[in-house]
Amino acid sequence: MSSQTFLLDGKETAFVTGQMILEAARAAGTLIPTLCYLKGETPTGACRVCLVEVAGARSLVAACSTPVTAGMEVRTDSERVLKTRKLIIELLLASGTHDCLVCEKNGDCRLQDLAYACGIQTMKFTPRNAGYPVENENPFIVRDFSRCILCGRCVQACNEVVVNRAISFGYRGSASKIVTGGDRPYHESECVFCGQCVEVCPVGALTEKKARWTGRPWETEKIRTTCPYCGVGCQQWLHVKDGRIGKVTAVEDAEPNQGRLCVKGRFGYDFIYSEERLKTPLIREGEGFREASWDEALDLVAAKFKEIIQKDGPDAIAGVSCARSLNEDSYQMQKFFRAVIGTNNIDHCART
Amino acid sequence: MTNSFADFKKAKMIILVGTNMTEAHPVASTFVKDAVLNGAELIVMDPRRTELANMANVHVPLKVGSDVALINALMNVLISENLYDRKYVESCTTGFEELKKKVMEYPPERAAEISGIPADAIRELARRMAAIKPAMLMYTLGITEHICGVNNVMSCANLQMLLGNVGFECGGVNPLRGQNNVQGACDMGALPNVFPGYQRVDNPQAREKFMKAWNVPSLPEKPGMMMPTMMEGLTTGKVKALYVFGENLANTEPDIHHVEHCLQSAEFLVCQDIFPTETTRFAHVLLPAAAWSENDGTFTSSERRVNRVRTASAAPGEAKPNWWIFKELAKRMGQEWTSASAQEIWDNELSVLAPSMAGIKYARLENDGLQWPAPTEDHPGTPTLHRDGKFTGGLGVFKAIDWIPPAEVPDQDYPLVLSTGRRLYHYHTRTQTGRCEGLNDLLSEETADLSAADAADYGIAHGERISVRSRRGEVVVRANVTDAVPPGLVWMAFHFREGCANWLTNPVYDPITQTAEYKACAVQIAKLR
């Protein structure tokens, strides 16, 4: 079976039975552009950007949803393909508001990239007026329907990836819209704010509200880390500008989360900037606390511990470590209790 | 977890016991849902009709605290009807005869009385479980937070071994850990009886090894106190000083009035944290720590995967990394520790001292981390424990277990069961999530979740403020009338100080682990006059 081949831009190319043209081409190193394609999920063929020419076929076909057959002759770069692709992008550009200058997605937008790659210089068609107003009432996600190209990636992500089933296509024809049940705003719907729709949106239709104006993609550094909440250990990208996290996204293809996050992982990062953070050592004074230097605070703790060890023995001191902090922190704390204080009275909330 | 998160999506059958994954482990739950869409069977054993119960082939709404009886009856059917994996039991396990004798005392009819699940439904469920192999079992705190938590865990293991499901991809016994690094804190030896890598403190060879590594003349051999014993020790004077690092005990421990009395009794309380909390109010010294994104280091997830944590921003003011604080304290008490970064601590100390993590070095953790055991530097890590039923300790051990009821059951004065847990939009005592813009908009107060039947009995309307009272305390919260909760049960969380379930919960503990019975106590509810 693996010996089956087809002709890809004139080159004999291997494929596996059941593979779509898009996947077989990608495996062979030929990148066919896409907008709606969501890796690992059922192809929808919605955006038509991946159209290719198949010898003998009546019209151009969507590479994402057309299975390869043995001996099939596929052209991904014929004049007809390139012209059609350009026309599709031109039509998409006219389908709503695509004013990159003021769009949060500028610099990280598939439509913008494709318009550039197709060499589009002017707006061929008059843009359609924005039909639906921007939804901005919920705390985390801005839904700008005027920028939505109805590719359906968000619908697939919500229904097939995270299976929260909060959104689907609504209305018909030029009135089409991505809707929640009853077309209510997100915060009044079944939505649980995992933000997977934002993660997969290829344009500026769905963006993180807290990330607005915190930095353009080319100004930010992406730092990989591990989520600080539950025990799943999701892998995150922190988008950092000038030492400040502007947004958090999931690491694609990473174990264990495979490009997914939940509401806390995606939107629960800004506690670190709270004004209530403890910023200096504090020592009790009457009913309150007074600020102290590290030297004074640590000397006091050491002296008090030494006094208690001398008077009551090391087992009169006990410690509770932190199940939220680093491995290395817990290692140090148990070492401090065992090797310095001389007790095994060290525990944490291990069982709850 | 014996297995990995990557197994979830591929599993053929998933058995969830006492785990509300969609709220407590949301991303893990998406893979369970994917499996269901792919055709996997899903069995949810939970008193509440959780989101995943709505997607399940079978929802088993057992009574709170009846797990052992129900699982014993399932095993009774598997053995009586000869549906268990005889070959696996014979070659991979020990203790079957004792188990058999015990579970024969639990015919489905007896378990039906205890659990509220009809005898025929129990038989049907056992047959269903035996029909697909392997099945993957996941549990969370619904299993462990009982006075019989250890027995509940053993029962899950018994069931999976009897079905021949331990040691295979998409099988196993899989506890999902609640905190990001509760696995790691255990692995690091932040436990009273073991050094890092689960080497026992009462083993002279282990002590010898750590004495040499840490350059000290002696190490204590007597296992120390667990947290509840420490807290009691504060009131009796047995414990004079308590050092609390990054925990908010005043909200998380059962019976807040009592916990605060314990904290108040400390002669000297050191708190090391990133925020002032209800616990730090009692501190004598408060040390400011660097937070999550202000440190380099590692977390270890439920699947035993050691993952990197990286610095993205600077700690505020004078706040310092926690490892640095301990190193400085050690210095002031006469010991110079050489490791001067998290990487040095891991690479030069921990991985040298803990054999199961000997092969894990920072240089190997750049991408997806590594799952221990990884004993050598060319070891790829271990996604599945007890491979092919070859148990780490030799044979899998069946334990014959009897059911006991929760310590406090409903009576005339306190006629309802209170069970507790976590909700999606907040994390624990909201030290962090309460300070994230937006999350309070999605969930701003605690509620008492109760059934429509109970609400009607008490004349309570949805959203009305009611009193919930136990023998320990009283809270006033809004009623959330929901069909997720069965009659007779009130369900609450511990995210908000006001209305925190722990004003009510019962400070009784599993005798082995000292895990508190957060999942069951008796309460009364009343309309406010």
Side-chain angles (χ1 to χ4, degrees):
Chain A
M1 282 223 292
S2 60
S3 62
Q4 291 189 101
T5 60
F6 72 115
L7 276 181
L8 182 67
D9 294 329
K11 248 177 38 198
E12 195 163 312
T13 305
F15 74 98
V16 182
T17 306
Q19 218 169 14
M20 301 298 161
I21 295 173
L22 182 78
E23 293 158 359
R26 283 193 177 180
T30 300
L31 285 183
I32 300 169
T34 58
L35 263 178
C36 70
Y37 176 74
L38 194 57
K39 200 174 131 194
E41 305 307 320
T42 325
T44 59
C47 74
R48 317 311 287 173
V49 166
C50 69
L51 288 180
V52 293
E53 198 169 350
V54 172
R58 190 161 49 86
S59 59
L60 298 181
V61 302
C64 67
S65 52
T66 307
V68 187
T69 54
M72 185 186 252
E73 289 176 42
V74 178
R75 295 227 63 104
T76 69
D77 58 356
S78 70
E79 205 188 320
R80 190 175 162 212
V81 168
L82 298 180
K83 238 175 98 179
T84 311
R85 188 182 298 153
K86 187 174 177 183
L87 179 66
I88 289 164
I89 302 297
E90 284 167 334
L91 285 165
L92 285 172
L93 285 174
S95 71
T97 310
H98 296 292
D99 46 357
C100 304
L101 204 62
V102 296
C103 180
E104 185 58 37
K105 202 76 174 177
N106 188 6
D108 184 27
C109 173
R110 287 287 296 150
L111 186 61
Q112 189 185 52
D113 292 347
L114 284 168
Y116 187 79
C118 291
I120 293 170
Q121 287 171 303
T122 54
M123 295 294 277
K124 189 166 178 180
F125 306 104
T126 311
R128 201 159 70 96
N129 284 337
Y132 295 102
V134 175
E135 181 188 313
N136 197 15
E137 292 96 333
N138 76 70
F140 295 130
I141 299 171
V142 180
R143 299 170 79 195
D144 185 344
F145 299 98
S146 72
R147 300 185 191 282
C148 176
I149 56 170
L150 297 168
C151 69
R153 277 167 72 97
C154 56
V155 174
Q156 268 200 309
C158 190
N159 290 281
E160 293 179 29
V161 178
V162 294
V163 203
N164 287 326
R165 296 168 170 169
I167 51 173
S168 64
F169 280 93
Y171 309 108
R172 278 164 182 266
S174 61
S176 290
K177 182 190 180 190
I178 307 299
V179 295
T180 62
D183 194 11
R184 287 167 303 181
Y186 266 6
H187 62 288
E188 292 172 15
S189 76
E190 299 295 306
C191 174
V192 291
F193 291 96
C194 70
Q196 205 61 32
C197 53
V198 183
E199 181 91 33
V200 300
C201 181
V203 292
L206 296 167
T207 51
E208 295 92 344
K209 190 172 188 172
K210 287 202 267 190
R212 286 184 301 181
W213 312 298
T214 60
R216 291 297 196 184
W218 57 85
E219 299 173 314
T220 55
E221 186 190 356
K222 272 166 72 181
I223 296 172
R224 183 170 169 165
T225 199
T226 305
C227 179
Y229 289 106
C230 81
V232 175
C234 292
Q235 295 299 293
Q236 305 169 311
W237 289 120
L238 307 179
H239 298 248
V240 180
K241 186 189 170 194
D242 301 333
R244 202 172 168 96
I245 302 169
K247 71 172 173 181
V248 177
T249 57
V251 180
E252 280 259 346
D253 297 324
E255 290 299 339
N257 50 313
Q258 297 287 337
R260 308 170 187 198
L261 290 175
C262 75
V263 58
K264 295 190 283 285
R266 195 181 300 279
F267 299 115
Y269 54 87
D270 45 332
F271 67 90
I272 52 172
Y273 302 121
S274 164
E275 270 311 305
E276 293 168 351
R277 282 288 299 275
L278 293 172
K279 299 188 184 92
T280 172
L282 299 170
I283 293 174
R284 171 161 299 280
E285 199 172 61
E287 285 304 292
F289 292 97
R290 67 170 172 85
E291 294 189 356
S293 68
W294 273 108
D295 275 335
E296 188 191 1
L298 292 172
D299 283 345
L300 173 63
V301 174
K304 192 76 193 167
F305 280 176
K306 280 190 219 163
E307 182 194 314
I308 291 170
I309 293 168
Q310 191 142 44
K311 203 166 63 165
D312 303 291
D315 288 336
I317 303 176
V320 177
S321 189
C322 177
R324 315 271 291 121
S325 194
L326 303 172
N327 279 324
E328 292 79 359
D329 297 339
S330 268
Y331 174 86
Q332 294 282 89
M333 189 176 188
Q334 61 85 36
K335 182 178 173 183
F336 177 71
F337 268 76
R338 294 192 161 108
V340 180
I341 294 179
T343 178
N344 283 312
N345 287 342
I346 176 75
D347 198 11
H348 72 288
C349 61
R351 299 153 294 265
T352 54
Chain B
M1 282 165 55
T2 58
N3 288 59
S4 301
F5 288 113
D7 289 5
F8 285 25
K9 191 174 177 171
K10 297 180 285 186
K12 291 194 276 187
M13 176 181 266
I14 295 172
I15 304 167
L16 304 181
V17 195
T19 175
N20 179 21
M21 238 186 258
T22 38
E23 297 203 64
H25 303 89
V27 171
S29 81
T30 68
F31 294 111
V32 172
K33 292 187 272 184
D34 289 350
V36 173
L37 294 191
N38 290 340
E41 285 218 22
L42 176 64
I43 295 166
V44 175
M45 295 164 66
D46 199 303
R48 291 191 302 155
R49 211 174 82 199
T50 58
E51 283 288 322
L52 286 173
N54 284 329
M55 277 189 94
N57 299 78
V58 189
H59 172 216
V60 187
L62 75 172
K63 284 187 190 157
V64 170
S66 65
D67 308 71
V68 168
L70 179 63
I71 295 172
N72 274 353
L74 288 169
M75 294 192 288
N76 176 303
V77 177
L78 292 172
I79 294 170
S80 305
E81 300 189 6
N82 203 19
L83 297 169
Y84 70 101
D85 189 334
R86 187 181 289 264
K87 199 171 145 219
Y88 183 95
V89 166
E90 278 168 9
S91 58
C92 304
T93 68
T94 175
F96 176 73
E97 287 308 321
E98 292 86 338
L99 177 81
K100 182 176 170 181
K101 203 168 141 229
K102 181 53 66 189
V103 303
M104 286 306 136
E105 297 169 19
Y106 289 83
E109 282 70 18
R110 183 180 170 203
E113 272 175 37
I114 297 169
S115 68
I117 305 301
D120 282 342
I122 295 173
R123 288 194 180 87
E124 202 52 48
L125 182 62
R127 291 171 196 143
R128 191 181 269 269
M129 285 176 173
I132 294 177
K133 268 185 82 161
M136 195 163 190
L137 184 146
M138 287 78 124
Y139 69 81
T140 312
L141 303 178
I143 279 293
T144 52
E145 288 182 349
H146 286 283
I147 51 163
C148 55
V150 169
N151 287 345
N152 285 346
V153 171
M154 298 283 192
S155 295
C156 291
N158 281 344
L159 177 66
Q160 279 294 70
M161 289 193 294
L162 194 65
L163 288 164
N165 284 336
V166 181
F168 308 97
E169 199 177 276
C170 302
V173 181
N174 300 285
L176 304 187
R177 314 298 310 246
Q179 290 102 338
N180 56 323
N181 203 36
V182 68
Q183 181 68 51
C186 292
D187 299 347
M188 294 304 111
L191 292 170
N193 59 338
V194 288
F195 291 115
Y198 304 97
Q199 300 167 87
R200 295 186 60 92
V201 295
D202 52 13
N203 174 344
Q205 281 100 43
R207 279 203 309 282
E208 195 66 40
K209 172 175 157 179
F210 280 89
M211 275 154 57
K212 218 170 130 196
W214 292 342
N215 195 25
V216 288
S218 69
L219 282 170
E221 64 174 281
K222 192 171 74 80
M225 298 175 200
M226 288 191 228
M227 211 190 327
T229 310
M230 293 175 188
M231 299 298 280
E232 281 309 317
L234 290 172
T235 61
T236 61
K238 207 171 165 221
V239 176
K240 304 284 184 204
L242 184 68
Y243 193 143
V244 179
F245 162 28
E247 294 281 337
N248 189 7
L249 305 176
N251 274 15
T252 58
E253 300 310 292
D255 189 0
I256 291 178
H257 289 115
H258 178 66
V259 174
E260 295 198 338
H261 169 66
C262 296
L263 291 170
Q264 185 86 59
S265 308
E267 183 182 311
F268 187 59
L269 179 67
V270 183
C271 287
Q272 182 168 314
D273 216 309
I274 63 173
F275 286 111
T277 67
E278 287 80 3
T279 305
T280 64
R281 290 180 297 141
F282 300 95
H284 297 91
V285 178
L286 189 42
L287 303 173
W292 159 67
S293 61
E294 298 156 0
N295 280 300
D296 280 313
T298 55
F299 294 153
T300 305
S301 72
S302 301
E303 57 175 353
R304 299 165 279 105
R305 188 184 297 277
V306 183
N307 286 309
R308 274 300 312 275
V309 177
R310 294 183 178 83
T311 306
S313 50
E318 296 289 311
K320 295 284 187 194
N322 295 290
W323 60 260
W324 178 91
I325 301 172
F326 295 117
K327 180 178 155 78
E328 286 297 310
L329 272 177
K331 188 162 122 191
R332 281 167 169 79
M333 293 180 72
Q335 287 186 27
E336 281 288 346
W337 293 354
T338 49
S339 296
S341 69
Q343 176 164 5
E344 286 180 22
I345 292 165
W346 184 283
D347 283 353
N348 303 342
E349 296 191 45
L350 184 274
S351 63
V352 175
L353 291 164
S356 57
M357 288 167 262
I360 302 177
K361 301 284 181 186
Y362 266 45
R364 297 186 70 196
L365 296 177
E366 275 309 303
N367 296 313
D368 283 354
L370 275 170
Q371 289 173 279
W372 66 257
T376 57
E377 284 184 49
D378 56 3
H379 193 287
T382 309
T384 309
L385 292 179
H386 318 305
R387 194 92 218 177
D388 300 325
K390 292 185 187 71
F391 284 83
T392 315
L395 293 173
V397 183
F398 283 116
K399 285 272 196 309
I401 290 164
D402 260 316
W403 171 77
I404 54 162
E408 187 180 74
V409 292
D411 56 22
Q412 213 170 0
D413 296 334
Y414 296 91
L416 301 169
V417 174
L418 172 73
S419 198
T420 71
R422 300 175 164 108
R423 300 186 195 269
L424 176 65
Y425 294 117
H426 280 294
Y427 190 83
H428 286 209
T429 64
R430 288 171 59 254
T431 314
Q432 296 174 1
T433 53
R435 293 175 170 104
C436 292
E437 206 187 318
L439 289 170
N440 290 329
D441 298 344
L442 297 178
L443 183 67
S444 57
E445 62 179 317
E446 187 50 64
T447 59
D449 299 359
L450 54 123
S451 69
D454 287 335
D457 275 359
Y458 287 87
I460 291 168
H462 179 71
E464 180 180 341
R465 288 172 76 77
I466 61 166
S467 143
V468 185
R469 187 195 293 266
S470 78
R471 289 182 175 84
R472 273 76 51 196
E474 181 190 11
V475 295
V476 173
V477 289
R478 283 185 202 285
N480 173 31
V481 180
T482 166
D483 60 4
V485 173
L489 183 69
V490 178
W491 196 91
M492 293 178 66
F494 61 108
H495 302 310
F496 294 86
R497 173 74 175 180
E498 198 183 325
C500 179
N502 287 326
W503 293 104
L504 310 171
T505 45
N506 193 8
V508 288
Y509 303 91
D510 180 283
I512 299 169
T513 62
Q514 294 196 5
T515 300
E517 191 155 64
Y518 292 100
K519 296 301 185 199
C521 72
V523 293
Q524 51 177 241
I525 58 174
K527 272 176 91 76
L528 293 185
R529 269 173 293 153

